[in-house]
Amino acid sequence: AVVSTQSTGEHYKDRDDFLEKRVVNYTKRVKKFGPAEGNEKPINQITEYYARDSSLAADDDIAELTFLLNEEKMFLKHHLQDERIISSTHEYLKPVQSEDKGQVQITLDMVSSFQVERQAKSPKLIHIYNTIVNLMGREEGCVETVRASEQEVRDILEGRMQEELTTELSVSIYDTARNDTAKKRREE
């Protein structure tokens, strides 16, 4: 993991889901009056980069998935098709959940798409609904994974600090200037 004050990056190899890299960008904490609520940095954006899965069509294979948590948006960028210079993209707005049943309402204006193929049909509302619900679940899982990774980094750093605090150096028996027993024997 690559960690800085404003971002964190994790690189992966040979995963089954073809995930290659995850980059998390943080926002500054808003100072509030009162007791502190947790030690977590607020996440602004999470971007995941995926390798090409040759078993899927390029328009079905995700290349880049971005969650903008503050703006309540999700971006999908697909891999390039053969002999194309631009890829298909989709932008989804997160729906507001209704208070009574926890259901989400989806309309066509919550989606903005660019399809490379002119003949591609626009997706039906049920497909959009399933995609948004799937992406919202992925976002939640991604945030949990990021928080677990942050905790792992904190645990490693805390362990390193404990190691540095409890270090005891041993003096060589050949260092007669600092070794007390060697000094005593020499004086006798």
Side-chain angles (χ1 to χ4, degrees), residues 173-185:
I173 59 170
Y174 300 107
D175 187 358
T176 57
R178 289 190 286 175
N179 192 331
D180 292 333
T181 55
K183 250 189 218 181
K184 289 177 185 174
R185 287 187 185 160

Side-chain angles (χ1 to χ4, degrees), residues 32 34 37 39 45 54 69 73-74 80 89-90 98 100 110 139-140 142 145-146 150 152 187:
K32 296 179 183 176
E37 296 178 15
N39 196 17
Q45 173 180 331
S54 56
L69 278 70
K73 291 182 183 179
M74 300 171 283
L80 289 173
T89 59
H90 304 282
S98 63
D100 54 350
M110 298 175 127
E139 178 185 68
E140 190 174 307
C142 194
T145 304
V146 166
E150 289 173 354
E152 182 181 0
E187 290 173 358

Side-chain angles (χ1 to χ4, degrees), residues 90 92 108 111 113 115 120-128 131:
H90 304 282
Y92 299 97
L108 289 175
V111 179
S113 296
Q115 294 284 66
K121 296 179 182 177
S122 60
K124 297 188 180 201
L125 198 56
I126 188 71
H127 181 267
I128 294 170
T131 303

Side-chain angles (χ1 to χ4, degrees), residues 74 91-95 104-107 110-111 126-138:
M74 300 171 283
E91 176 184 345
Y92 299 97
L93 297 174
K94 283 176 49 178
V104 293
Q105 277 195 317
I106 304 221
T107 59
M110 298 175 127
V111 179
I126 188 71
H127 181 267
I128 294 170
Y129 173 81
N130 290 336
T131 303
I132 288 177
V133 169
N134 179 21
L135 287 175
M136 287 171 58
R138 286 176 80 164

Side-chain angles (χ1 to χ4, degrees), residues 11-139:
H11 298 270
Y12 306 100
K13 273 189 172 179
D14 301 326
R15 286 180 50 132
D16 293 336
D17 61 356
F18 295 94
L19 179 64
E20 289 185 325
K21 182 169 73 168
R22 180 180 291 129
V23 178
V24 181
N25 293 324
Y26 300 99
T27 58
K28 292 185 178 182
R29 291 186 182 140
V30 178
K31 294 186 179 182
K32 296 179 183 176
F33 180 74
E37 296 178 15
N39 196 17
E40 298 173 340
K41 293 188 244 179
I43 298 173
N44 180 36
Q45 173 180 331
I46 301 173
T47 305
E48 294 182 330
Y49 299 92
Y50 292 88
R52 180 78 169 97
D53 182 2
S54 56
S55 66
L56 298 174
D59 276 345
D60 297 330
D61 192 15
I62 298 172
E64 191 176 314
L65 177 57
T66 303
F67 301 109
L68 294 171
L69 278 70
N70 289 347
E71 298 178 26
E72 301 287 322
K73 291 182 183 179
M74 300 171 283
F75 288 101
L76 263 173
K77 181 179 178 184
H78 295 279
H79 283 281
L80 289 173
Q81 294 179 6
D82 294 335
E83 299 179 12
R84 301 288 181 173
I85 60 172
I86 195 163
S87 60
S88 298
T89 59
H90 304 282
E91 176 184 345
Y92 299 97
L93 297 174
K94 283 176 49 178
V96 179
Q97 292 187 350
S98 63
E99 297 173 10
D100 54 350
K101 297 181 183 177
Q103 295 179 346
V104 293
Q105 277 195 317
I106 304 221
T107 59
L108 289 175
D109 61 337
M110 298 175 127
V111 179
S112 173
S113 296
F114 172 75
Q115 294 284 66
V116 174
E117 291 295 326
R118 291 183 189 182
Q119 293 82 17
K121 296 179 182 177
S122 60
K124 297 188 180 201
L125 198 56
I126 188 71
H127 181 267
I128 294 170
Y129 173 81
N130 290 336
T131 303
I132 288 177
V133 169
N134 179 21
L135 287 175
M136 287 171 58
R138 286 176 80 164
E139 178 185 68

